[in-house]
Amino acid sequence: MLDFAIFAVTFLLALVGAVLYLYPASRQASGIPGLPPTEEKDGNLLDIVNSGSLHEFLANLHERYGPVVSFWFGRRLVVSLGSIDVLKQHFNPNKAPDPFETMLKSLLGYQSGGGSVGEDHVRRRRRGEAVTAALHSNFPLLLQLSEELLDKWLSYPETQHIPLSQHMLSFALKFVTRMVLGSTFEDEQEVIRFQKIHGTVWSEIGKGFLDGSLDKNTTRKKQYQEALMQLESILKKIIKEGKGGNFSQHTFIDSLAQGNLNEQQILEDSVVFSLVSCIITARLCTWAIHFLTMSGDVQKKLHKEIEQVLGKDPITSEKIEQLRYCRQVLCETVRTAKLTPVSARLQDIEGKVGPFVIPKETLVLYALGVVLQDPSTWPSPHKFDPDRFADEPVMKVFSSLGFSGTWECPELRFAYMVTTVLVSVLLKRLHLLAVEGQIFEMKYELVTSSREEAWITVSKRH
């Protein structure tokens, strides 16, 4: 993944916690506007908690003080960048490792990186190649699972409320487990078992490291550690056996094993991909379908494109590239939902953004959620408008943030393809409809979700 990849409060605390007492920290914010520490020990942690999320805290901070702001976590200065211009000044893809992968592996207790910049780049490239190969091999399975979900929804009466988030997570887990782990997970009970393990690990990454509560609750910490061990055990067994499936089903683990990685590297990359791809795919599917239910014109235009490109034939991997408006819909979904609202990196050496000097060892946040709603970059930013991505300059800005193009991370690329297939299958046969009177609020964590279940109804196309 990229510098402009996923990050949340959990990683802010994890990264700061790793360096908080290792370096002498000045209380001088180098003239950068922002908040002084509310408390000597915790800095502005209480302000973050009272704001509801790190994203909401940063949105308020940038609105008050501008594109470059500062605050404190404990005794550590934190600088946040909240505009395209200042992000471009700070971003250097050739020197910084992937912050999401680095910090997630740190939380999981893995040795992130460890090689030269070139070696780490090769490893990330091989992970991307493994995703592409496994997707290509498992495309028929993806189509099958999408059609199974379609049949399930077709069987419902038109008045039945469908729990969208729940169905999308189940769909994503079914495909990811089969694509990563192979035929072992054809058994529905194995998928359910994996879902419980995955849920325990991910929920603690999303909340348990937020305020140190995991360390204070021995029962929760034990459950988390046991779940992580179970996840690793499942993957180790498949890696050791040297098979993720049969000859006709080439898996993600098979591809990694062919990339000259050792077993520990394969394990780490498989754990990270299994955790991240499930959540990003489930959330992207959820948000895309939700926004389509809220915009009849967009849904109608997308259905027309699907009919023109596919006709009566099923979607193929080759035809996906022709669904240009569908890609615009997904890009606008990522933007409007602020799917991954914050990223970060540690300032290795003293740097400068505009007139402001950023001291060495400062944690620098990329306030992506703020940037994605900046009206100077995105006119009518709160409007769901896929047509904005028909303009090449707009797409270039989006790509520079790591959400598309060359710097697009493998997990997001995976989610784009899976969501495209699912949406094309559903829209061929169904109208997707909103439930009237539903209150829909965003919950900003590691990946943005709905605060409550997202309910929809469907009706058959005639």
Side-chain angles (χ1 to χ4, degrees), residues 98-228:
D98 177 343
F100 175 70
E101 179 186 351
T102 299
M103 288 177 282
L104 180 55
K105 286 184 176 181
S106 176
L107 287 175
L108 294 170
Y110 297 154
Q111 181 70 37
S112 178
S116 66
V117 172
E119 289 172 342
D120 291 341
H121 175 73
V122 169
R123 181 174 171 184
R124 289 195 296 274
R125 179 171 55 80
R126 285 174 177 166
R127 189 171 82 248
E129 291 170 348
V131 172
T132 300
L135 262 173
H136 179 75
S137 178
N138 289 273
F139 195 87
L141 173 63
L142 173 57
L143 189 57
Q144 173 192 327
L145 293 176
S146 299
E147 291 173 343
E148 287 176 0
L149 183 63
L150 169 65
D151 291 339
K152 184 176 183 178
W153 286 10
L154 282 169
S155 71
Y156 292 158
E158 293 188 355
T159 56
Q160 180 162 333
H161 291 186
I162 299 172
L164 182 60
S165 298
Q166 178 183 322
H167 281 212
M168 292 303 96
L169 180 58
S170 177
F171 168 77
L173 279 163
K174 284 181 181 179
F175 183 54
V176 169
T177 51
R178 293 276 295 278
M179 194 191 93
V180 174
L181 306 172
S183 56
T184 301
F185 284 81
E186 292 176 0
D187 186 343
E188 185 78 17
Q189 293 303 312
E190 287 296 324
V191 176
I192 293 173
R193 175 172 171 257
F194 185 89
Q195 182 172 353
K196 291 179 179 178
I197 295 170
H198 179 281
T200 299
V201 174
W202 188 262
S203 66
E204 292 300 354
I205 288 175
K207 68 180 181 181
F209 291 98
L210 172 63
D211 54 8
S213 63
L214 187 63
D215 285 328
K216 299 174 184 177
N217 189 317
T218 55
T219 300
R220 271 176 52 196
K221 187 171 184 178
K222 182 179 179 181
Q223 291 174 341
Y224 164 76
Q225 291 173 336
E226 288 178 348
L228 180 58

Side-chain angles (χ1 to χ4, degrees), residues 284 302 305-306 320-335 384 386-387 389-390 395 398-399 402-409 412-420 423:
L284 182 59
L302 180 55
E305 179 184 69
I306 291 170
I320 285 179
E321 293 298 319
Q322 298 179 38
L323 295 172
R324 294 184 177 87
Y325 185 68
C326 185
R327 182 57 180 241
Q328 291 174 215
V329 168
L330 297 186
C331 289
E332 180 68 345
T333 296
V334 170
R335 190 201 67 81
F384 183 73
D387 286 333
F389 283 97
M395 185 58 80
F398 199 63
S399 298
F403 293 122
S404 186
T406 305
W407 299 106
E408 183 179 283
C409 70
L412 185 56
R413 177 157 43 84
F414 171 85
Y416 278 137
M417 179 171 284
V418 173
T419 308
T420 299
V423 168

Side-chain angles (χ1 to χ4, degrees), residues 335-401:
R335 190 201 67 81
T336 308
K338 302 176 286 293
L339 189 67
T340 57
V342 190
S343 182
R345 62 179 289 189
L346 191 64
Q347 188 74 33
D348 296 327
I349 59 175
E350 184 179 280
K352 191 175 183 181
V353 174
F356 304 114
V357 174
I358 302 178
K360 179 182 178 180
E361 309 302 344
T362 300
L363 184 65
V364 179
L365 300 185
Y366 300 150
L368 299 180
V370 175
V371 174
L372 292 173
Q373 298 287 294
D374 184 353
S376 65
T377 304
W378 318 94
S380 303
H382 301 293
K383 179 183 179 182
F384 183 73
D385 181 17
D387 286 333
R388 73 173 81 240
F389 283 97
D391 295 331
E392 189 63 27
V394 174
M395 185 58 80
K396 285 183 178 179
V397 170
F398 199 63
S399 298
S400 72
L401 298 176

Side-chain angles (χ1 to χ4, degrees), residues 244-259:
N246 51 43
F247 178 78
S248 63
Q249 185 190 5
H250 188 82
T251 67
F252 178 72
I253 287 180
D254 293 332
S255 296
L256 288 179
Q258 294 173 5

Side-chain angles (χ1 to χ4, degrees), residues 162-167 438-440 450-455:
I162 299 172
L164 182 60
S165 298
Q166 178 183 322
H167 281 212
Q438 182 177 195
I439 298 175
F440 208 86
S450 57
R451 194 168 295 278
E452 304 292 340
E453 178 58 86
W455 298 92

Side-chain angles (χ1 to χ4, degrees), residues 260-373:
N260 298 320
L261 302 178
N262 60 45
E263 287 192 6
Q264 182 61 28
Q265 290 173 325
I266 295 173
L267 173 65
E268 292 176 3
D269 288 350
S270 298
V271 169
V272 170
F273 183 79
S274 298
L275 287 170
V276 177
S277 60
C278 280
I279 293 298
I280 290 187
T281 300
R283 298 293 181 258
L284 182 59
C285 287
T286 300
W287 285 115
I289 292 175
H290 166 71
F291 288 132
L292 288 172
T293 67
M294 302 299 290
S295 179
D297 290 341
V298 172
Q299 185 174 164
K300 183 178 179 179
K301 185 174 180 179
L302 180 55
H303 174 257
K304 182 178 180 181
E305 179 184 69
I306 291 170
E307 287 292 291
Q308 289 176 340
V309 173
L310 302 180
K312 296 182 180 180
D313 298 327
I315 189 171
T316 63
S317 55
E318 293 77 19
K319 288 291 182 69
I320 285 179
E321 293 298 319
Q322 298 179 38
L323 295 172
R324 294 184 177 87
Y325 185 68
C326 185
R327 182 57 180 241
Q328 291 174 215
V329 168
L330 297 186
C331 289
E332 180 68 345
T333 296
V334 170
R335 190 201 67 81
T336 308
K338 302 176 286 293
L339 189 67
T340 57
V342 190
S343 182
R345 62 179 289 189
L346 191 64
Q347 188 74 33
D348 296 327
I349 59 175
E350 184 179 280
K352 191 175 183 181
V353 174
F356 304 114
V357 174
I358 302 178
K360 179 182 178 180
E361 309 302 344
T362 300
L363 184 65
V364 179
L365 300 185
Y366 300 150
L368 299 180
V370 175
V371 174
L372 292 173
Q373 298 287 294

